[in-house]
Amino acid sequence: MTRLQSAFAKGHPALVCFVTAGDGPTPAILDALVEGGADVIELGMPFTDPMADGPAIQKANLRALAAGITTSTIFKLAAEFRVRHPEVPLVLMGYANPMITRGPQWFADQCADAGVDGVICVDIPPEEDGELGPYLREKGISLIRLATPTTDVARLPAVLDGSSGFLYYVSVAGITGKQSAALASIEEAVTRIKQTAQIPVAVGFGVRTPEQAGPIARVADGVVVGSAFIDLIAQHGDDAAGPVRELATALAGAVHSARKELA
Amino acid sequence: MTIKTPNSFRNQPNESGHFGQFGGRYVAETLMPLILDLEAEYRKAKTDPSFQAEFDDLLEHYVGRPSPLYFAPRLTEELGGAQIWLKRDELNHTGAHKINNCVGQILLAIRMGKTRIIAETGAGQHGVATATVCARFGLPCVIFMGATDVARQAPNVFRMKLLGAEVVPVTAGAATLKDAMNEALRDWVANVHDTFYIIGTAAGPHPYPELVRDFQSVIGREARAQLLSRTGRLPDLLVASIGGGSNSIGLFHPFLDDPTVKMLGVEAAGHGLDKLHAASLAGGRPGILHGNKTYLLQDEDGQILEGHSISAGLDYPGIGPEHAWLKENGRVDYTSVTDTEALAGFQLLCRTEGIIPALEPAHAIAALQKVAPTMDKDAIIIANLCGRGDKDIFAVAEHLGVSL
Ligand SMILES: Cc1ncc(COP(=O)(O)O)c(C=O)c1O
């Protein structure tokens, strides 16, 4: 089993946590997420033009770039994380240009060397898969795709084709940090997707609190939380690790036990 | 380097929306189904005579086409070389070529049943043109404009508001055109169900570069017919300024398969190519932004750099993908002129022809100053005068040290 497969085979839904690389004390923040109970880490690669992100993550991107984050530093952060946490899957999430700028082969090689388990690229749809997908798959790195409320039944197989690890269901047609979708519509969508998908389905966008995450974890294989952590990091800066650990702990409690309450 | 010459330069993009290695559809999944719908609808519209008839009718009676092709005798004499002819798209309703594309896109939006229009704008010309067609068709309109541009293009902001549009100042990033485009894309993802995004240049995800080019190609088709009927021959050279590349591709495309016609695209060299500028072909390299693969100003990590030009309409760190392709296959030549040279071109046209150009085509005029004198007196150049200068007189006054 790969690290990503194991993360979704623990007998409880997975908590997936997103933070932006280079925004705040990243190594301490990543450790805090793991200590709090995160099952999968998504490490955002900052980009000057984060078109799919709301104000919170946009600002985090710009803060990280202003603080001097580079692609090589991100791979160093990932490699060091892998040494400290041999079992916790780490996924890089970001936009196409920083990923392909030195060529997709270079990027896939770097991911493999740093022990990165998967890549989410917001702006490479299945139609443009050749830009990155084949290089990642060849190295055994999961290409994790996004499905959205506009991805209909006819299109879903194309989205799933060539993707692995998990499917990231974006519960709202919109940008990160905005309102969360109604639980009923999430449930309907996840049920529909799981009829086709052979891989776990994690739900994200707009999930901020344990109260929101728990009910979603009853229907989905995983819950993704991002902007809520970013807000804490914006607020606490160098001292963010503590508050991040607290939020992760509370979210993990809700997500991991969601189905027990049900039973 | 050997370049394989295609049979035709006019049959791009391919089925997947690529111009060679450029173009494509690099968008978030939420937008992908809509982009595919748009493409399907555009294919239908393209072969629907009633769509074409409505487009042509609006261009004639609302926009005021055909625009004149004007022989510029005193400019020709002053430069002392080739005959210079100006394609007068600055005489269009709203004062620039942008309206050609907006008329086409709003007809598409209506065909698709969309009830809300958004657009990005830099100089404000595309914003004004979009607000104009929205007023004409009674659709609500939201224009995203970088806060920096809102400040330097105040008259156009007021025009948009008069026309009933909501103007949203964008403070993200450097608060210019690329940031306005990011914000428009964010709005679009959240409102795909009812919203049509009228992109203002021949860039963005497929099919935008193709459809914007097709709507703007009226410029080149008219110019070709006009020159043939007046002189019985084709031009030797076409010259046009490039922001995203819509006025230039509109002029060039109908001539691409005429091997004797040379073409020159003029990028904005700002303070100079070794300083801050907006010349993506001269100073950039291929990358992915705003839905397409093309030449971009970027650092070694692929972070996008801010462009700079005296002209807000050229101040964009990318360029339409068809130009990237035409550069690589060598069919079109590209050059760049600085802010200072553009200001000189601006004044030259005012003085010699009694025409106040926008700062964007002033870059084309500045390029003429370099190339026309090197050509024979019987050679013919057509330059695209794609916008008038009313919007720019304040900026020009400031640069010339005049307080109004
Ligand atoms: C008059 C005029 N010309 C040119 C441009 C640049 O755009 P494009 O290269 O798409 O023609 C603009 C953009 O605002 C403009 O207003």
Side-chain angles (χ1 to χ4, degrees):
Chain A
M1 267 209 268
T2 66
R3 276 188 288 262
L4 274 169
Q5 284 168 335
S6 308
F8 285 93
K10 293 179 178 173
H12 60 67
L15 173 64
V16 182
C17 298
F18 172 91
V19 291
T20 300
D23 180 30
T26 301
I29 289 169
L30 297 180
D31 291 350
L33 290 171
V34 174
E35 286 156 25
D39 301 291
V40 178
I41 305 284
E42 281 179 16
L43 187 59
M45 294 181 65
F47 184 42
T48 39
D49 295 81
M51 290 149 303
D53 286 297
I57 297 184
Q58 282 175 47
K59 290 198 185 105
N61 277 260
L62 297 182
R63 278 196 304 269
L65 289 169
I69 191 77
T70 62
T71 302
S72 74
T73 313
I74 294 171
F75 280 119
K76 200 162 148 267
L77 288 169
E80 289 167 5
F81 176 87
R82 180 54 61 238
V83 173
R84 295 197 307 279
H85 305 284
E87 307 301 333
V88 184
L90 182 85
V91 170
L92 291 181
M93 178 164 186
Y95 293 83
N97 203 48
M99 294 186 185
I100 56 110
T101 200
R102 293 181 177 88
Q105 188 63 60
W106 181 88
F107 185 73
D109 289 345
Q110 293 288 309
C111 286
D113 291 349
V116 167
D117 299 280
V119 171
I120 305 175
C121 182
V122 175
D123 51 350
I124 299 188
E127 281 76 0
E128 303 290 354
D129 183 68
E131 207 64 61
L132 187 59
Y135 303 88
L136 294 175
R137 286 189 287 273
E138 212 244 317
K139 288 278 173 182
I141 293 157
S142 290
L143 177 74
I144 295 156
R145 289 224 185 89
L146 306 166
T148 71
T150 62
T151 312
D152 61 15
V153 190
R155 190 172 161 74
L156 188 58
V159 170
L160 287 164
D161 185 33
S163 75
S164 65
F166 64 96
L167 180 72
Y168 185 154
Y169 178 67
V170 172
S171 63
V172 283
I175 53 179
T176 52
K178 289 281 157 108
Q179 262 169 334
S180 153
L183 193 59
S185 78
I186 295 178
E187 185 162 3
E188 182 277 321
V190 172
T191 309
R192 176 169 51 77
I193 290 169
K194 287 189 73 73
Q195 283 166 6
T196 311
Q198 306 291 323
I199 52 177
V201 178
V203 174
F205 273 47
V207 189
R208 305 183 60 91
T209 63
E211 292 70 32
Q212 290 170 308
I216 294 172
R218 286 186 200 161
V219 296
D221 303 306
V223 181
V224 189
V225 179
S227 294
F229 288 113
I230 300 295
D231 288 345
L232 284 179
I233 295 165
Q235 196 186 332
H236 297 281
D238 286 348
D239 305 320
V244 163
R245 186 183 306 106
E246 268 170 49
L247 178 61
T249 306
L251 288 163
V255 169
H256 292 166
S257 65
R259 306 233 173 114
K260 281 187 214 139
E261 285 166 30
L262 202 62
Chain B
M1 187 169 76
T2 57
I3 292 167
K4 207 170 135 262
T5 307
N7 296 330
S8 170
F9 291 97
R10 303 187 64 230
N11 57 12
Q12 300 285 315
N14 66 15
E15 259 173 39
S16 62
H18 288 87
F19 303 84
Q21 65 153 318
F22 301 106
R25 305 175 262 225
Y26 299 88
V27 295
E29 173 62 20
T30 311
L31 294 178
M32 203 56 216
L34 188 78
I35 299 265
L36 294 171
D37 280 356
L38 173 60
E39 185 187 353
E41 199 58 48
Y42 182 56
R43 294 276 164 265
K44 279 189 237 155
K46 226 174 161 168
T47 54
D48 176 353
S50 72
F51 181 86
Q52 200 57 49
E54 193 174 5
F55 180 62
D56 292 345
D57 184 76
L58 282 161
L59 287 189
E60 181 179 347
H61 301 292
Y62 189 63
V63 175
R65 302 206 72 94
S67 68
L69 181 69
Y70 165 69
F71 171 62
R74 294 195 64 236
L75 180 61
T76 299
E77 195 186 297
E78 172 107 4
L79 298 185
Q83 292 178 33
I84 296 164
W85 296 64
L86 300 174
K87 181 61 175 158
R88 305 280 311 268
D89 258 52
E90 101 279 14
L91 295 176
N92 293 340
H93 180 41
T94 72
H97 68 293
K98 298 283 176 186
I99 188 96
N100 303 328
N101 167 49
C102 291
V103 167
Q105 286 199 47
I106 203 156
L107 293 179
L108 272 180
I110 293 165
R111 257 182 100 95
M112 291 178 77
K114 301 295 179 188
T115 54
R116 175 176 175 267
I117 301 293
I118 60 170
E120 86 294 340
T121 197
Q125 287 308 106
H126 175 60
V128 167
T130 304
T132 297
V133 297
C134 287
R136 166 66 183 73
F137 286 94
L139 292 181
C141 175
V142 180
I143 304 291
F144 296 92
M145 187 169 187
T148 307
D149 291 335
V150 169
R152 61 176 167 171
Q153 302 286 334
N156 272 343
V157 174
F158 184 55
R159 278 187 192 103
M160 289 183 264
K161 290 182 178 166
L162 281 175
L163 292 161
E166 181 192 342
V167 180
V168 180
V170 178
T171 52
T176 58
L177 182 54
K178 113 182 142 67
D179 308 290
M181 194 149 183
N182 290 334
E183 208 57 32
L185 285 165
R186 290 184 188 114
D187 179 291
W188 200 23
V189 209
N191 296 290
V192 269
H193 57 285
D194 68 352
T195 296
F196 190 98
Y197 180 11
I198 299 190
I199 294 184
T201 191
H206 177 64
Y208 281 100
E210 176 186 346
L211 64 87
V212 174
R213 173 198 75 199
D214 291 349
F215 294 141
Q216 291 294 5
S217 288
V218 65
I219 300 172
R221 278 197 310 275
E222 284 177 5
R224 199 171 189 286
Q226 287 165 322
L227 192 73
L228 279 173
S229 87
R230 300 265 293 281
T231 68
R233 49 168 296 203
L234 290 173
D236 299 283
L237 178 68
L238 308 173
V239 179
S241 65
I242 299 190
S246 70
N247 86 80
S248 49
I249 200 72
L251 176 64
F252 296 170
H253 196 259
F255 294 94
L256 283 175
D257 284 340
D258 296 307
T260 60
V261 181
K262 292 198 167 71
M263 302 175 197
L264 181 64
V266 186
E267 296 190 290
H271 297 319
L273 287 182
D274 54 345
K275 304 191 185 76
L276 279 178
H277 64 84
S280 324
L281 290 177
R285 59 189 173 85
I288 295 171
L289 181 71
H290 293 152
N292 58 170
K293 185 187 247 193
T294 188
Y295 276 74
L296 300 172
L297 299 181
Q298 54 183 317
D299 72 10
E300 58 184 18
D301 266 356
Q303 305 296 349
I304 308 303
L305 302 174
E306 291 298 334
H308 162 78
S309 168
I310 186 174
S311 143
L314 305 184
D315 202 346
Y316 179 69
I319 182 168
E322 193 158 15
H323 286 290
W325 179 72
L326 290 167
K327 173 197 159 79
E328 290 216 334
N329 64 35
R331 177 63 186 93
V332 175
D333 292 322
Y334 294 89
T335 185
S336 59
V337 311
T338 63
D339 289 352
T340 309
E341 291 168 328
L343 274 172
F346 179 96
Q347 291 168 280
L348 176 68
L349 192 67
C350 292
R351 182 167 53 76
T352 55
E353 297 293 342
I355 298 173
I356 301 177
L359 279 170
E360 293 81 13
H363 284 69
I365 305 297
L368 288 179
Q369 290 184 266
K370 298 185 198 175
V371 294
T374 69
M375 295 168 67
D376 283 349
K377 288 198 171 184
D378 57 2
I380 292 180
I381 303 178
I382 299 179
N384 203 6
L385 198 53
C386 57
R388 58 178 174 246
D390 312 35
K391 71 177 173 63
D392 290 319
I393 52 170
F394 301 99
V396 170
E398 199 184 310
H399 284 281
L400 298 180
V402 178
S403 64
L404 296 183

